[in-house]
Amino acid sequence: MTETAVEATALRDRVASLPGWGDGDIGIEPAIPILASPSWRGVDGFPWRATRKSTGESVFIKVMDRDAALYVDIPCAFEAAQRASDLGIGPKVMSADVEAGILVMEDLNQGWRVGTLERVLEPAIVDAVIAARRLFQAGKPLPKQKGVFDEIEHFYAATTATNAQLPTDVDWLVDELRFAASALQRLHVTPVPIHGDGNVSNILISDAGEVRLIDWDRATTADPLEDLGSFLVEAFAQEPEARDAYIRYAGTFDEAAFNRARIYGVADDLRWGLIGALLAAKSARNTLEFYKFASWRFLRCRMAVREPRFGEVLRRIA
């Protein structure tokens, strides 16, 4: 048997042990295509769908890839996914095996669609995403305590240690974001648990307009505006739309807080550029376009830092 067939058989046995399933007519197949570019989708863990052929009932299985150890705190990610399940803002978790790196969840397939840039222009969807993030932030701190600037330092060290391909101006980008980090550190912030990844493909939207957040692999305890910043930079390419979304978040406009969220968004681009570069250097999955993804995130970071108003934004965070 191939390695894939062996894994499918093991997953079939695992699903058969779930309450109400039992062995029998369970089919296992890949759930979605894996893409590193243009969208980071299915990269962290291989996505499987297990279906009971007689009824059509299905579950979604995420099997963390060995690469995930390079950039994901798996115990924290699984704990965050379980919390989201309990709160009703993420798919229901049916089984979580941290040691094996396997997460079995309800399959939000029929009647649900992955979020798109067009859908997040709808005020009701933005409100639902913000409400879900706020509910998660009201919980106790997660075991992971690293914010985006901590991760920039970690992944910058990891990429340089492995001689990963990096843009020629990466040192300058890191220095600029270090300067931003020092400015933000002067502010008093109460860290909260956050989702940590604003990619719109991490939002599932039902036909009725319900929202669920998925992929909790960047979950951590940090500034709540870091959570908002990663969402704004991913969902709203233009400042007016980002500003409108911030007002929906806060109820009014606060220039200092909005600027803080924008800085976090710029930092998020640098972090993901470094993660993409690290995987391009170390992953055995050489058919995935990790460096293409990294190049896009580096480019967007570079554009923001070179923008003449970047310094003004930093000056107006307090």
Side-chain angles (χ1 to χ4, degrees), residues 18-287:
L18 294 174
W21 275 73
D23 25 354
D25 58 346
I26 299 174
I28 303 285
E29 62 182 356
I32 57 174
I34 298 176
L35 297 171
S37 178
S39 177
W40 192 271
R41 189 179 185 203
V43 174
D44 312 313
F46 194 93
W48 295 90
R49 175 171 289 116
T51 305
R52 180 179 284 158
K53 299 174 185 177
S54 59
T55 64
E57 182 182 3
S58 61
V59 293
F60 187 92
I61 309 168
K62 181 176 182 176
V63 181
M64 300 302 290
D65 192 89
R66 67 191 66 182
D67 291 340
L70 296 171
Y71 64 103
V72 177
D73 183 327
I74 295 176
C76 184
F78 278 29
E79 179 176 334
Q82 182 65 65
R83 288 195 197 183
S85 167
D86 296 341
L87 292 168
I89 61 171
K92 180 180 178 182
V93 173
M94 305 170 71
S95 173
D97 186 335
V98 172
E99 186 174 344
I102 298 176
L103 196 61
V104 182
M105 299 167 282
E106 68 174 317
D107 186 19
L108 299 181
N109 185 24
Q110 299 297 324
W112 292 81
R113 293 180 182 273
V114 173
T116 61
L117 294 176
E118 291 80 8
R119 293 303 304 272
V120 294
L121 291 177
E122 299 175 28
I125 298 300
V126 174
D127 289 345
V129 171
I130 288 171
R133 291 178 181 273
R134 281 194 185 280
L135 186 58
F136 187 77
Q137 291 169 7
K140 65 181 181 179
L142 287 166
K144 182 179 175 182
Q145 306 284 326
K146 292 183 178 180
V148 63
F149 294 111
D150 300 313
E151 293 208 317
I152 285 173
E153 295 297 338
H154 172 77
F155 294 122
Y156 180 54
T159 53
T160 53
T162 57
N163 293 316
Q165 180 179 354
L166 293 168
T168 56
D169 61 354
V170 70
D171 293 342
W172 172 71
L173 290 174
V174 171
D175 285 343
E176 290 295 309
L177 269 299
R178 282 173 176 163
F179 181 74
S182 66
L184 289 172
Q185 285 171 357
R186 294 195 294 267
L187 305 177
H188 175 72
V189 174
T190 301
V192 298
I194 66 171
H195 178 268
D197 190 343
N199 193 326
V200 295
S201 66
N202 289 336
I203 304 168
L204 296 182
I205 305 171
S206 75
D207 293 342
E210 294 181 273
V211 161
R212 297 289 185 272
L213 302 181
I214 60 173
D215 287 345
W216 294 83
D217 302 310
R218 297 254 61 79
T220 188
T221 304
D223 186 341
L225 286 177
E226 182 176 320
D227 215 13
L228 180 66
S230 71
F231 177 54
L232 295 183
V233 77
E234 284 290 284
F236 307 102
Q238 304 299 323
E239 183 178 329
E241 287 77 12
R243 189 179 293 253
D244 291 344
Y246 175 83
I247 292 172
R248 302 195 73 81
Y249 164 83
T252 187
F253 185 68
D254 180 331
E255 183 181 13
F258 176 62
N259 286 339
R260 196 161 100 227
R262 291 174 67 195
I263 293 297
Y264 282 128
V266 176
D268 187 55
D269 274 333
L270 181 55
R271 166 176 56 188
W272 274 107
L274 293 168
I275 290 174
L278 180 64
L279 289 182
K282 299 200 71 170
S283 176
R285 296 177 292 173
N286 55 16
T287 59

